[in-house]
Amino acid sequence: MDRYKKQRIRMVETQIRGRSIRDDRVLKVMETVPRHLFVDEGLINQAYSDNPLPIGERQTISQPYIVALMTEALELKGMERVLEIGTGSGYQTAILAKLADRVFSIERVAVLASRARKILDRLNCYNVAIRVGDGSYGWKEEAPFDAIITTAAAPQFPQHLVAQLSPGGRMVVPVGGRDVQTLYKLTRSTENPSELKKEDLGGCRFVSLIGESGWKE
Ligand code: SAM
């Protein structure tokens, strides 16, 4: 048992299962992915605490509960192609990599992307492709996607991303102001693909999406 295993189990029990996340696959994966590898050495003691943490470049690794909530909303069964906007530390990417078939992740800050790549390789997450750039445009060559997750907040639903969601696909995205937003889940209808169901998953606070569908730096 690695020395952080107990902390991970406690994190899942109190912060995630304790807040009504019920998808067994999500709970199991969050018990195994070593979150402490994705934070700065000086913050390792806080890696399993109930909050986001700074990762440099004025960005953050999301709170474990938010990672669980967004992942559960994607309803992953194992065969999906997933698009992630905002690789950040790569922690959410690693969770997706263990739950889906392929993950395409876009990060605008090159140094974060290359740090994440190294950790993901160390964890054998070879089903992840990372690209540096403005994720607002999505990843056209690889579209459509069964699931899309945006881990930076947009002022409105990013239309290029919505267009890359396959029939039956799920998308989670924080939309709102620069300080507070609402986390939304969009589901594209299988029977009538022009129809999108919109669900409110609650209030949240994300760093800003910077780019075409976001804010200026
Ligand atoms: N999920 C990440 C994790 O677990 O570490 C947290 C990501 S952090 C909250 C949001 C990330 O989105 C930041 O790394 C930021 O640089 C990135 N970002 C912001 N705007 C972006 C854009 N237009 N395209 C790609 N990445 C973007």
Side-chain angles (χ1 to χ4, degrees):
M1 197 195 271
D2 77 72
R3 55 192 282 245
Y4 293 98
K5 178 88 182 166
K6 267 193 186 152
Q7 291 189 44
R8 272 200 298 280
I9 291 174
R10 201 175 326 123
M11 171 191 86
V12 169
E13 283 311 309
T14 59
Q15 302 173 33
I16 299 175
R17 201 193 297 276
R19 289 198 187 111
S20 300
I21 300 296
R22 289 290 170 260
D23 185 327
D24 270 333
R25 295 182 75 237
V26 174
L27 296 167
K28 277 216 181 75
V29 162
M30 291 193 68
E31 270 182 15
T32 58
V33 174
R35 183 171 162 93
H36 60 277
L37 297 184
F38 294 88
V39 304
D40 289 348
E41 245 171 66
L43 294 173
I44 272 193
N45 290 341
Q46 298 172 55
Y48 296 96
S49 59
D50 191 12
N51 44 265
L53 292 169
I55 55 170
E57 311 298 319
R58 290 177 291 127
Q59 305 304 326
T60 54
I61 175 172
S62 304
Q63 179 193 22
Y65 169 66
I66 285 287
V67 173
L69 178 68
M70 294 176 90
T71 309
E72 182 175 65
L74 296 177
E75 301 174 41
L76 302 174
K77 304 285 182 258
M79 295 305 291
E80 297 81 1
R81 292 160 54 78
V82 182
L83 174 66
E84 176 187 45
I85 310 305
T87 319
S89 69
Y91 175 66
Q92 170 81 71
T93 323
I95 306 273
L96 297 170
K98 306 280 181 202
L99 292 171
D101 183 37
R102 298 209 51 198
V103 180
F104 300 87
S105 187
I106 309 176
E107 169 56 56
R108 62 179 286 276
V109 181
V111 35
L112 294 179
S114 74
R115 204 188 299 157
R117 175 79 272 168
K118 284 193 190 113
I119 308 167
L120 290 165
D121 285 348
R122 193 171 151 192
L123 297 178
N124 299 328
C125 295
Y126 300 122
N127 57 343
V128 174
I130 299 181
R131 174 191 262 191
V132 175
D134 178 4
S136 300
Y137 295 102
W139 197 315
K140 228 174 166 182
E141 311 87 281
E142 297 292 348
F145 299 95
D146 306 300
I148 300 180
I149 175 169
T150 302
T151 65
Q156 69 274 311
F157 289 97
Q159 286 313 308
H160 295 290
L161 301 184
V162 174
Q164 292 178 21
L165 191 61
S166 63
R170 289 81 52 202
M171 172 171 174
V172 276
V173 54
V175 176
R178 279 204 94 142
D179 295 328
V180 286
Q181 310 90 27
T182 302
L183 189 60
Y184 286 104
K185 173 177 178 177
L186 297 182
T187 307
R188 186 180 291 290
S189 161
T190 318
E191 295 77 36
N192 179 6
S194 62
E195 223 173 82
L196 286 163
K197 182 170 91 177
K198 185 166 104 181
E199 290 168 76
D200 176 340
L201 302 184
C204 57
R205 268 171 186 272
F206 275 85
V207 297
S208 302
L209 184 81
I210 308 291
E212 210 269 333
S213 297
W215 281 275
K216 290 200 170 62
E217 205 165 343

